[in-house]
Amino acid sequence: MKVPARATLATALILGLTGAATAPALAHTPARGTTVEATSARPDSARPDSKALREAIKGLPNADATAALVRVGGTDGTWRGSAGVHDLVTHRQADPRGRFRAGSTTKIVTAAVALQLAAEGALDLDEPVQHYMPELFGKEFRPIPVRSLLNYTSGLKPGDGFDDEYAHRHDTLDPRTVVASALAKGPQHDPGAEQHYRNIGYTVLGLLIERVTGDTYAHQARQRIFEPLHMRDTYFPGTDPRIRGPHNRGYQTMERPDGTARLVDVTEWNQSDRFAAGDMISSTADLETFTRALFGGEVLPGAQLKEMLTLPRLAPGVPEAVYGGGPQHVKIGGKDVWLKTGARYGYTNLIAATEDGSRTLVYSVNATDAKGSGTNPVAERIVGAALK
């Protein structure tokens, strides 16, 4: 699946949707938007910038995205906004309650489950993964501490997937097969020496959670995270390619062999191979609830939350770590921010929080280049308006 350049993307949108369904040209589609705002009594300078946030999602649908759902919170005030369309056939207004594929924001839920198990003594972060699942690893692997799965320093190479993901979007690839293909490649480096952001560590972590609990990963996540926090929109679809409940359609621009572009509806997709690394479906309301509870100390005891928010020390001479036990650390506007992005075809998402609790941000953008190499412009504007 090849993502075209921006100019070609715009051309594709002007020509309209191709594939299983067709739509009128987006150039003639009126922009849709709605915002509902509520701010605290904090000084104006500290409140979310309503004007900038409105501008960030203005004019959707366009060449970059068909819809955007945004929730800003924290002690400085709140802002809610949505823009764009539910789909490119009816062009009705985007549903602000819409569910979406949460992508790699799933990893923070997985990390939280693993760290709860560590707090309970069921999982030792210093113990090698081989202690729990000795049958998976050959002698070429040095002992891999469970902590290394959490902070992306395991040294595991990526697993294999389908060559043409779109063509196989309704097929099932078992995560155990993905893990087996990764381990067959041997280690890339010694555990803890380098940090490389990959899915494979969290796929193994999901299997490890199942091993130590004797339960499915999905049930553990539901029992430990979703149900206590009343996250009613959040679930793992498994092999079901649909998004159950209210949702906005996702679209991806793809390049034909002749270099022209086509816009394809990618809402239905079996993504069970992403498993504990990215198979979750959620909503901005649920992810905001989770983000607020997590950084507010309601999900993890203090020691385990500190573990999640600690950058590992790596080998001398390699780039410094930017990920803790799941989330990424960045400096924005002079503030320490912990965040996690996620993207699946048709949807790109983010959860973020400042360390001082003054600001949280959750968005889902129905990006037409959700698996592209660059940052989606709509998502970039949202982050700039909400966190800078």
Side-chain angles (χ1 to χ4, degrees), residues 215-367:
D215 192 9
T216 66
Y217 164 75
H219 184 257
Q220 284 291 308
R222 184 169 70 250
Q223 185 179 54
R224 292 173 173 272
I225 308 294
F226 306 156
E227 290 179 353
L229 296 179
H230 306 290
M231 296 169 64
R232 297 184 177 88
D233 293 323
T234 308
Y235 70 99
F236 287 90
T239 58
D240 186 350
R242 302 167 299 170
I243 299 177
R244 302 196 299 266
H247 60 277
N248 302 306
R249 307 295 293 184
Y251 299 92
Q252 186 78 25
T253 303
M254 302 181 194
E255 190 172 299
R256 298 186 181 96
D258 63 3
T260 60
R262 58 179 180 146
L263 192 63
V264 178
D265 187 325
V266 291
T267 309
E268 294 190 1
W269 200 306
N270 176 355
Q271 306 201 1
S272 56
D273 62 308
R274 302 300 161 173
F275 189 45
D279 190 35
M280 187 171 72
I281 287 173
S282 192
S283 66
T284 53
D286 271 9
L287 289 183
E288 183 180 54
T289 295
F290 173 66
T291 302
R292 185 173 60 246
L294 177 66
F295 290 96
E298 299 175 33
V299 175
L300 294 172
Q304 281 67 43
L305 181 58
K306 182 179 179 181
E307 178 78 41
M308 179 180 279
L309 305 182
T310 297
L311 300 178
R313 291 185 178 182
L314 307 178
V318 304
E320 293 183 358
V322 296
Y323 287 92
Q328 180 181 0
H329 176 262
V330 297
K331 283 274 191 181
I332 301 179
K335 292 185 176 182
D336 290 293
V337 178
W338 289 91
L339 60 84
K340 188 68 194 74
T341 58
R344 297 309 305 149
Y345 294 111
Y347 305 90
T348 185
N349 321 288
L350 174 139
I351 62 174
T354 58
E355 280 192 356
D356 62 6
S358 62
R359 185 64 48 87
T360 62
L361 169 64
V362 174
Y363 69 65
S364 176
V365 174
N366 292 57

Side-chain angles (χ1 to χ4, degrees), residues 18-19 43 58 67 71 82 94-95 118 129 136 151 154 193 206 241 253 258 277 279 291 302 314 363 371:
T18 64
K58 182 179 178 181
R71 298 176 74 91
S82 63
D95 188 341
V129 184
L136 288 184
N151 61 27
S154 66
T253 303
D258 63 3
D279 190 35
T291 302
L314 307 178
Y363 69 65
K371 298 300 288 183

Side-chain angles (χ1 to χ4, degrees), residues 46-299:
R47 295 177 182 176
D49 189 336
S50 297
K51 181 179 179 181
L53 286 162
R54 284 195 299 269
E55 287 295 319
I57 60 175
K58 182 179 178 181
L60 300 184
N62 62 18
D64 301 312
T66 57
L69 314 177
V70 183
R71 298 176 74 91
V72 180
T75 57
D76 285 346
T78 61
W79 187 90
R80 308 284 182 264
S82 63
V85 295
H86 168 272
D87 63 86
L88 295 179
V89 177
T90 68
H91 302 296
R92 71 178 187 267
Q93 189 166 285
D95 188 341
R97 304 166 303 149
R99 298 173 179 178
F100 48 82
R101 300 193 185 280
S104 286
T105 58
T106 305
K107 292 182 175 69
I108 309 304
V109 170
T110 304
V113 172
L115 288 167
Q116 283 187 1
L117 289 168
E120 295 163 8
L123 195 60
D124 187 339
L125 300 185
D126 295 314
E127 193 74 56
V129 184
Q130 291 93 324
H131 170 77
Y132 298 99
M133 298 187 292
E135 76 281 2
L136 288 184
F137 297 87
K139 294 181 180 179
E140 67 273 24
F141 288 93
R142 296 187 63 181
I144 303 171
V146 173
R147 180 179 285 104
S148 291
L149 299 177
L150 281 166
N151 61 27
Y152 314 98
T153 63
S154 66
L156 299 179
K157 294 179 180 179
D160 295 331
F162 294 119
D163 290 335
D164 186 337
E165 291 186 276
Y166 179 71
H168 291 276
R169 66 193 183 279
H170 293 296
D171 296 342
T172 297
L173 182 60
D174 189 271
R176 290 165 180 79
T177 302
V178 175
V179 170
S181 69
L183 298 183
K185 300 174 184 179
Q188 180 175 342
H189 58 76
D190 288 344
E194 303 174 18
Q195 187 174 71
H196 297 280
Y197 178 79
R198 289 173 182 151
N199 285 332
I200 188 63
Y202 274 76
T203 305
V204 174
L205 194 58
L207 297 179
L208 178 57
I209 289 168
E210 294 190 335
R211 175 62 58 89
V212 300
T213 63
D215 192 9
T216 66
Y217 164 75
H219 184 257
Q220 284 291 308
R222 184 169 70 250
Q223 185 179 54
R224 292 173 173 272
I225 308 294
F226 306 156
E227 290 179 353
L229 296 179
H230 306 290
M231 296 169 64
R232 297 184 177 88
D233 293 323
T234 308
Y235 70 99
F236 287 90
T239 58
D240 186 350
R242 302 167 299 170
I243 299 177
R244 302 196 299 266
H247 60 277
N248 302 306
R249 307 295 293 184
Y251 299 92
Q252 186 78 25
T253 303
M254 302 181 194
E255 190 172 299
R256 298 186 181 96
D258 63 3
T260 60
R262 58 179 180 146
L263 192 63
V264 178
D265 187 325
V266 291
T267 309
E268 294 190 1
W269 200 306
N270 176 355
Q271 306 201 1
S272 56
D273 62 308
R274 302 300 161 173
F275 189 45
D279 190 35
M280 187 171 72
I281 287 173
S282 192
S283 66
T284 53
D286 271 9
L287 289 183
E288 183 180 54
T289 295
F290 173 66
T291 302
R292 185 173 60 246
L294 177 66
F295 290 96
E298 299 175 33
V299 175

